Amino acid sequence: MTRARKTGPGSLVEPGPGPQTVSYEVRISENIQRIDRAKGKRSYRVRWRVAGHRKSRNFTNSALAISFQSKLRTAANEGEPFDVESGLPLSLIPKEEPEEAAPPPTWYEFAMSYADMKWKEVSPKSRRGIAEALGTATLALVRWEDRPPAHGEIYQALTTWAFTGEARSAEPPAELVKVIDWVKAHSVDVTELADPDLLREVLRRLSLTLDGTKAAAATYWRKRATFYNALSYAVQKKHFDANPLPSVSWTPPKSTDVVERNQVVNEVQGHALVDGVGCQGSMGQHLQAFFGCLFLAGLRPGEAVLLDQDELDLPENENEWGWIHLGDSSPEVSGRWTDSGKRERRSLKHRSEKETRSVPACPPLCKLLRRHIALFGTAPDGRLFRGESGDVLSESVYSRVWQATRDAVLTPHEVRGPLARRPYDLRHARLSIWLNAGIHPPQVAEWAGNSVKVLLGVYAKCLTGGVAQALAKLGWDQGMDVQEQQPLDYDVEWPIRLEEVTWCELALDYVDWKWETIKPTTRRGVVEALTKVTMAMLPRKGPWPTTPQLGRALTTYAFNRDRWENIPGDQAEVIAWVEQHSPLVGSLADVEILRSVLEHLGTRLDGQPAQPAVAARRRSVLFNVLEFAVAQKALASNPLLFRSWGPSDSGSRIGPDQP
């Protein structure tokens, strides 16, 4: 028996939760005091003492007073403790009604709170992954009744609005309102996730794509990790005593982290692909060094897009090795997941902020980088690689060039297969080549920015031809040349020897080359654009033909191949004057001259602004003509590349050797 603790004269602290000061020292007055009030009203007062403290209570009639007094005496006679503060025996103290517990949140409400909690903690790419995992899990955590929307509609509404953290501050778009309302009304309570059958259904849903086919094992495990963390957060919010997911028995898909050998090119194939990139027009030439960084230095695409000239340590001797000192990365992710609403710079993967990583650059890569800087310069902020308008290079741009390169370099069978299907496979190849060359794994891990565990578990078996090399070391002669392949050089000419071609000569050659491959309406647009460019480039000195004379001579005869042989004498004189005074094509590399030409393309013959569509069509023709000039070695690179020419155009920093 627990003894009560005494706290004062005649008082004790009753054991148990919420201790009260009580006493057994009780004296009840024998008499009930009658009190006469105004207008003949009376009241009856019961008086008593508890631990020396006077207590009283009034009643409207004597029967109530006598009944209450009897209850006090009965409690005192039975030895019941009295509360010192209220003066009542514990049996007469009203018990407080327990507060009604708040209803548990629905899974939809809880998932939104979890996404909000994680938003500030993780990177934009992780934010997207969390939304995708929660959106997939929600497909198994709603009651499919009352004309439900399609799976794709629900997934889109959840991943583009409901689970986007701070981006959800605005109301949902009109086309998503009905879907969101349906999910709200049909979402299960979060506490129902204690049911193992429901959890198995969630795990099954995480292993599938939206169309019901099996998802990649890596996708399943990434989404399962997010779901597990969400349930751990539910434990912190007191919805569960423990995370219910580990107790569920379910056979997951096997993890396939290992990169298969048929995905990865060998040294010769990789060099052939990087060499082939340079044959894909001006953008291909610009991106040749970009893909060279992926294949020869093992950079991630997100690291290469932000490569800065100041991060390069290139030797003067072209036969020596250099270094790349990486400092930033910019993974491809939609602005919906970033705080700024656009693609952001981030620290290197697995690195703290401002931590750098150094990677060796072999002589062929140094050659590509030196040529790139001399030919294309850099963006105003020092970036080597740019998109078509000078902005940050996007995955869609370099993937388009990469697919064209695969089609041109690989065999049809290889194109249909998994070999180098993604640019990231070039990084896989380089890390495998380093490991197969006998470089110590910790050193490879340092260069690659990975852990040793990842290297040995993922990359070690990737290299094409690795089996033959290993068997040769064991003495098995398969009749194959398994000698170590030295890095190849690239078939790039630098400095480029340019042909001195006038603009008039180039324009006529372009017309001859293009004429039979385009429709008559397109021919008219080409002729018009060439005429406008020619008139803008001719010098304003000497005997100057009138604008109508120039326009008629160029559009009707010079750039119209069908009528080239029937030129009247006066028109032939105008064309001869144009040929004599036409500047070299190389003059278009001058920023101011090119800007003047583009302004002229945006005007009509009377000097008024042309329609935007007309100006854009003329600019497109000029871009193609300059591509033709690059192919004819009249220009080192297309000067229209990386130019937006809008109000915010900042141009490029041209390299010192820019022709």
Side-chain angles (χ1 to χ4, degrees):
M1 178 177 178
T2 304
R3 185 177 298 275
R5 178 169 56 87
K6 191 169 183 179
T7 60
S11 63
L12 299 166
V13 174
E14 186 72 13
Q20 293 176 292
T21 303
V22 298
S23 176
Y24 294 91
E25 183 184 345
V26 180
R27 293 183 181 182
I28 303 171
S29 175
E30 295 291 340
N31 299 322
I32 296 177
Q33 184 181 5
R34 190 180 76 179
I35 303 173
D36 295 324
R37 300 185 182 278
K39 298 181 181 180
K41 292 183 179 180
R42 293 176 180 175
S43 62
Y44 299 86
R45 178 178 294 170
V46 178
R47 295 171 296 173
W48 74 102
R49 290 175 181 265
V50 178
H53 298 279
R54 293 180 180 180
K55 303 295 179 181
S56 64
R57 181 171 291 188
N58 295 342
F59 297 89
T60 57
N61 59 63
S62 60
L64 293 176
I66 293 172
S67 174
F68 179 73
Q69 187 185 56
S70 297
K71 291 178 181 179
L72 294 180
R73 285 175 178 171
T74 300
N77 292 337
E78 292 180 353
E80 186 176 344
F82 279 60
D83 178 49
V84 174
E85 182 178 354
S86 65
L88 298 175
L90 297 186
S91 60
L92 295 182
I93 297 178
K95 294 182 179 179
E96 295 181 0
E97 292 292 333
E99 294 183 5
E100 186 177 353
T106 64
W107 161 257
Y108 172 76
E109 294 168 340
F110 169 77
M112 285 196 298
S113 66
Y114 174 75
D116 291 343
M117 182 272 295
K118 296 293 289 184
W119 187 266
K120 288 293 185 182
E121 300 179 1
V122 297
S123 66
K125 205 166 186 178
S126 297
R127 293 170 181 173
R128 184 182 65 185
I130 289 173
E132 292 172 350
L134 296 177
T136 304
T138 304
L139 295 176
L141 296 174
V142 290
R143 293 179 292 274
W144 291 93
E145 56 191 19
D146 300 333
R147 297 182 180 180
H151 283 63
E153 293 176 343
I154 295 176
Y155 183 81
Q156 180 186 10
L158 297 175
T159 55
T160 60
W161 185 80
F163 300 147
T164 55
E166 294 182 353
R168 199 179 60 245
S169 57
E171 291 296 320
E175 65 272 13
L176 301 181
V177 171
K178 289 185 178 180
V179 179
I180 293 295
D181 290 343
W182 185 91
V183 174
K184 286 181 182 178
H186 294 81
S187 178
V188 304
D189 289 345
V190 71
T191 53
E192 294 185 37
L193 286 165
D195 182 0
D197 291 334
L198 183 57
L199 286 176
R200 281 191 201 92
E201 180 60 24
V202 174
L203 294 176
R204 188 191 70 82
R205 183 69 253 181
L206 295 179
S207 67
L208 301 176
T209 61
L210 285 178
D211 59 7
T213 59
K214 287 186 177 181
T219 301
Y220 163 78
W221 285 106
R222 184 180 68 249
K223 292 184 176 181
R224 184 191 184 280
T226 298
F227 184 60
Y228 180 91
N229 290 333
L231 293 182
S232 296
Y233 181 62
V235 174
Q236 298 174 25
K237 302 296 286 185
K238 309 299 182 184
H239 300 312
F240 302 108
D241 294 331
N243 193 320
L245 193 57
S247 62
V248 176
S249 58
W250 191 75
T251 304
K254 293 183 179 180
S255 178
T256 55
D257 289 339
V258 176
V259 178
E260 294 299 327
R261 189 177 293 111
N262 60 357
Q263 294 177 243
V264 181
V265 295
N266 60 25
E267 193 84 70
V268 176
Q269 292 169 325
H271 280 278
L273 284 166
V274 175
D275 196 36
V277 170
C279 300
Q280 308 305 315
S282 291
M283 183 53 74
Q285 292 181 12
H286 175 70
L287 292 180
Q288 189 173 24
F290 171 82
F291 287 106
C293 289
L294 271 56
F295 177 62
L296 296 174
L299 269 59
R300 297 181 177 91
E303 297 167 345
V305 297
L306 289 187
L307 190 60
D308 191 289
Q309 184 176 10
D310 294 337
E311 296 174 339
L312 302 179
D313 183 8
L314 303 179
E316 295 183 3
N317 189 334
E318 63 179 20
N319 296 320
E320 295 180 356
W321 286 62
W323 286 94
I324 300 175
H325 305 289
L326 298 172
D328 295 304
S329 178
S330 180
E332 183 85 8
V333 65
S334 170
R336 180 189 305 124
W337 309 107
T338 63
D339 295 327
S340 63
K342 57 185 179 180
R343 194 169 177 176
E344 296 177 342
R345 286 178 176 262
R346 298 193 62 82
S347 59
L348 297 175
K349 190 174 183 179
H350 306 310
R351 290 288 199 281
S352 61
E353 191 174 355
K354 297 184 179 180
E355 187 177 358
T356 61
R357 188 177 92 242
S358 297
V359 184
C362 61
L365 178 57
C366 293
K367 179 179 180 180
L368 285 179
L369 291 171
R370 278 193 297 265
R371 176 181 178 271
H372 177 91
I373 295 172
L375 193 57
F376 299 102
T378 66
D381 59 359
R383 283 179 293 110
L384 268 65
F385 309 113
R386 286 152 282 173
E388 294 171 333
S389 297
D391 49 2
V392 176
L393 179 64
S394 67
E395 184 177 358
S396 61
V397 173
Y398 65 73
S399 293
R400 185 166 62 247
V401 173
W402 182 246
Q403 293 308 318
T405 303
R406 288 183 79 247
D407 294 340
V409 175
L410 302 180
T411 66
H413 174 73
E414 291 172 333
V415 170
R416 292 191 298 270
L419 182 66
R421 182 172 292 166
R422 306 172 306 154
Y424 204 101
D425 290 331
L426 295 177
R427 168 180 162 85
H428 289 326
R430 179 50 48 190
L431 270 58
S432 298
I433 291 172
W434 281 341
L435 288 170
N436 280 271
I439 301 175
H440 203 227
Q443 181 60 73
V444 176
E446 173 64 25
W447 291 343
N450 272 341
S451 66
V452 175
K453 179 181 179 181
V454 169
L455 286 173
L456 298 181
V458 176
Y459 293 108
K461 60 175 286 188
C462 296
L463 182 59
T464 302
V467 173
Q469 295 181 17
L471 293 176
K473 292 180 180 179
L474 295 176
W476 184 359
D477 184 5
Q478 297 180 294
M480 299 173 59
D481 183 11
V482 295
Q483 295 182 355
E484 181 178 358
Q485 175 67 49
Q486 297 296 325
L488 304 178
D489 204 349
Y490 291 100
D491 185 19
V492 293
E493 179 186 355
W494 186 255
I496 297 177
R497 298 174 180 84
L498 299 179
E499 302 290 339
E500 290 191 354
V501 180
T502 66
W503 165 257
C504 187
E505 292 171 337
L506 178 73
L508 292 174
D509 289 343
Y510 180 78
V511 168
D512 290 340
W513 172 69
K514 198 73 174 176
W515 195 261
E516 298 297 338
T517 62
I518 55 179
K519 299 181 296 184
T521 55
T522 306
R523 292 174 184 171
R524 183 178 63 187
V526 170
V527 170
E528 177 190 352
L530 293 176
T531 300
K532 293 287 289 184
V533 175
T534 304
M535 295 173 67
M537 293 185 64
L538 290 173
R540 300 301 199 270
K541 61 182 180 179
W544 173 254
T546 64
T547 298
Q549 288 176 325
L550 280 173
R552 185 163 183 264
L554 295 175
T555 57
T556 307
Y557 297 101
F559 298 143
N560 186 345
R561 205 182 66 171
D562 290 341
R563 303 180 66 177
W564 177 257
E565 297 178 356
N566 302 315
I567 306 177
D570 57 337
Q571 300 298 316
E573 292 180 2
V574 174
I575 294 174
W577 183 91
V578 171
E579 291 177 335
Q580 181 182 357
H581 293 84
S582 179
L584 295 176
V585 176
S587 63
L588 285 170
D590 185 279
V591 174
E592 294 304 321
I593 293 179
L594 186 59
R595 187 183 300 276
S596 175
V597 170
L598 290 173
E599 290 176 353
H600 193 70
L601 292 180
T603 61
R604 302 184 312 197
L605 289 177
D606 59 4
Q608 296 298 316
Q611 295 181 359
V614 174
R617 185 178 68 243
R618 294 170 178 172
R619 183 186 183 280
S620 178
V621 172
L622 177 59
F623 185 93
N624 292 332
V625 174
L626 296 180
E627 288 283 282
F628 179 74
V630 173
Q632 299 297 314
K633 293 188 176 181
L635 283 173
S637 64
N638 190 332
L640 270 185
L641 203 60
F642 320 128
R643 294 284 182 177
S644 62
W645 300 103
S648 60
D649 174 47
S650 55
S652 301
R653 277 171 34 197
I654 305 300
D657 299 325
Q658 176 72 33

